[in-house]
């Protein structure tokens, strides 16, 4: 009995282990497959949620810019973040506001707020605020294959806008287009409108510089305080901030009407009485350089 038992036991012990080995292999393989499936599922749902998170109404946000579609799915507005790209991992969405806290340059305040003021109009408020002095914030808006209107008076005026060559961003301030041919004229708005019924209004708070590259059909929107006539508001740090509102509508007329009503208010005050009482007369319109004392006196009589 005693001598038999171990002999009996050992084969019994070995037998199942021989049969178990392939089974163990199968179980391990199954387990690996299961874990892989779970990991893939998690990855899929996370990326799905991320895509969901970065899609806000008809706008698709990427690290390097965004596109906006109209109600028919056509891309009507395209913009690139030229001065830095977003760290999408730092983005989160709460209600109508999508915000991000980091770019590849460091911490920042970034948000996009969706506003639907009317059934046919969708607006996106965008704000990119650096949390350090110095580097400019620059976004590039592409004209795509649309006609654009707005901007400023130029020495050679085209309608729709036609630009040639390349211009580094320069302060968006009025100037004398007769003396300085490449400058902006006396009429100037931070507003552009496209034939695809998209419009953009740069916020008044922005230390705004404008440039363009006609080859890539783009406008550069830049915010900076360095080497600029703009000064930060009293008591505030010179952290450049670029904010604007992009609105998309069903047709050009209605979106322009909406933008004008919303952003270009009627005068709130009567102009100074002296502007009417003591107008400044110029002889230039009538006589140009060909002027003398008699002509001035004649003009006064008229
Ligand atoms: C737009 O400018 C106004 C004042 O000019 C400011 O109060 C407001 O915060 C700015 N909006 C954004 C989104 O930056
Ligand atoms: C303008 O854009 C074109 C096309 O993208 C590019 O090749 C060119 O270098 C740009 N010009 C300047 C001066 O950056």
């Amino acid at each position: 009995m005693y001598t038999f038992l171990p002999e009996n036991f050992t084969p019994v012990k070995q037998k199942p282990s021989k049969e178990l080995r392939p089974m163990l292999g199968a179980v391990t393989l199954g387990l690996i497959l299961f874990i892989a499936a779970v990991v893939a599922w998690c990855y899929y749902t996370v990326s799905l949620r991320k895509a969901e998170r970065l899609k806000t109404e008809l706008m698709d946000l990427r690290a390097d810019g965004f596109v906006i579609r109209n109600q028919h799915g056509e891309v009507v507005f395209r913009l690139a973040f030229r001065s830095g790209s977003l760290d999408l991992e730092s983005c989160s969405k709460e209600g109508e506001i999508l915000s991000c806290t980091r770019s590849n340059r460091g911490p920042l305040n970034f948000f996009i707020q969706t506003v639907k003021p009317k059934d046919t109009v969708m607006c996106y408020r965008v704000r990119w605020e650096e949390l350090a002095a110095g580097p400019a914030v620059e976004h590039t808006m592409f004209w795509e294959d649309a006609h654009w209107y707005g901007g400023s008076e130029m020495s050679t005026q085209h309608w729709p806008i036609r630009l040639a060559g390349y211009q580094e961003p320069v302060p968006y301030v009025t100037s004398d287009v007769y003396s300085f041919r490449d400058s902006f004229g006396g009429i100037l708005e931070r507003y552009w409108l496209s034939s695809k019924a998209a419009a953009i209004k740069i916020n008044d708070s922005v230390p705004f510089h404008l440039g363009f590259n006609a080859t890539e059909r783009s406008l550069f929107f830049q915010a900076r305080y360095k080497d600029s006539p703009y000064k930060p508001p009293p008591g505030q740090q010179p952290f450049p901030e670029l904010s604007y509102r992009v609105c998309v509508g069903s047709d050009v007329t209605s979106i322009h009407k909406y933008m004008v009503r919303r952003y270009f208010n009627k005068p709130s005050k009567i102009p100074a009485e002296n502007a009417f009482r003591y107008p400044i007369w110029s002889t230039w319109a009538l006589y140009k350089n060909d002027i003398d004392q008699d002509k001035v006196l004649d003009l006064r009589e008229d």
Side-chain angles (χ1 to χ4, degrees):
M1 284 277 264
Y2 279 102
T3 46
F4 267 105
L5 257 172
E7 277 173 22
N8 270 354
F9 261 83
T10 27
V12 165
K13 248 186 197 167
Q14 278 165 356
K15 244 189 200 164
S17 81
K18 259 184 199 156
E19 278 165 10
L20 259 176
R21 215 169 281 148
M23 227 170 91
L24 219 72
V27 166
T28 319
L29 192 71
L31 211 69
I32 288 171
L33 281 177
F34 178 71
I35 290 170
V38 167
V39 167
W41 171 250
C42 288
Y43 189 78
Y44 172 71
T45 49
V46 163
S47 60
L48 205 72
R49 229 177 294 146
K50 199 155 94 189
E52 184 69 18
R53 193 170 72 196
L54 299 179
K55 194 158 165 56
T56 167
E57 296 298 339
L58 298 167
M59 170 194 273
D60 278 317
L61 178 69
R62 296 183 312 252
D64 60 353
F66 60 79
V67 297
I68 298 175
R69 290 167 202 280
N70 64 11
Q71 276 148 335
H72 310 297
E74 185 195 0
V75 171
V76 289
F77 191 89
R78 191 158 67 90
L79 184 134
F81 304 141
R82 190 158 292 220
S83 53
S85 54
L86 288 176
D87 176 358
L88 295 183
E89 293 301 321
S90 76
C91 301
S92 58
K93 197 170 153 190
E94 215 168 286
E96 270 88 62
I97 299 181
L98 191 160
S99 54
C100 308
T101 54
R102 286 193 69 82
S103 76
N104 61 339
R105 298 205 298 200
L108 90 162
N109 273 338
F110 174 86
F111 76 74
I112 295 176
Q113 184 184 7
T114 318
V115 188
K116 194 168 171 48
K118 290 167 75 174
D119 259 3
T120 52
V121 177
M122 181 67 87
C123 294
Y124 304 86
R125 278 176 72 199
V126 180
R127 184 179 164 95
W128 181 302
E129 183 187 10
E130 293 285 336
L131 297 177
V137 181
E138 192 174 313
H139 293 178
T140 302
M141 182 189 81
F142 297 95
W143 312 340
E144 302 287 294
D145 53 347
H147 289 145
W148 285 84
Y149 308 87
S152 76
E153 183 191 356
M154 313 280 278
S155 56
T156 316
Q157 199 76 42
H158 291 288
W159 195 89
I161 296 172
R162 204 162 80 210
L163 298 168
Y166 175 86
Q167 171 69 62
E168 283 282 336
V170 290
Y172 197 60
V173 293
T174 55
S175 180
D176 177 358
V177 279
Y178 290 99
S179 310
F180 308 99
R181 304 299 294 172
D182 290 334
S183 68
F184 307 116
I187 302 167
L188 159 151
E189 295 290 355
R190 300 172 162 200
Y191 171 66
W192 286 268
L193 172 74
S194 96
S195 54
K196 292 193 174 182
I200 180 167
K201 169 77 171 68
I202 310 283
N203 203 25
D204 291 338
S205 59
V206 177
F208 185 45
H209 298 68
L210 180 74
F212 59 85
N213 181 347
T215 316
E216 65 171 13
R217 297 175 56 75
S218 67
L219 289 183
F220 307 139
F221 300 141
Q222 192 195 61
R224 71 165 201 255
Y225 286 114
K226 215 165 160 246
D227 308 318
S228 164
Y230 297 100
K231 297 285 165 273
Q236 274 187 34
Q237 302 261 37
F239 297 167
E241 163 259 324
L242 181 56
S243 56
Y244 45 85
R245 190 178 285 223
V246 181
C247 295
V248 174
S250 53
D251 62 279
V252 192
T253 315
S254 66
I255 197 69
H256 181 59
K257 276 188 178 158
Y258 170 76
M259 295 300 277
V260 167
R261 223 171 288 140
R262 177 69 182 72
Y263 293 107
F264 300 96
N265 298 328
K266 303 229 166 70
S268 56
K269 282 192 237 162
I270 298 167
E273 197 182 311
N274 282 353
F276 300 105
R277 197 178 283 274
Y278 308 108
I280 297 166
W281 298 98
S282 166
T283 56
W284 181 262
L286 278 180
Y287 304 111
K288 302 283 184 297
N289 288 326
D290 183 23
I291 184 81
D292 55 29
Q293 178 70 4
D294 291 339
K295 285 181 180 165
V296 175
L297 293 177
D298 278 353
L299 180 68
R300 191 198 59 177
E301 287 304 312
D302 294 345

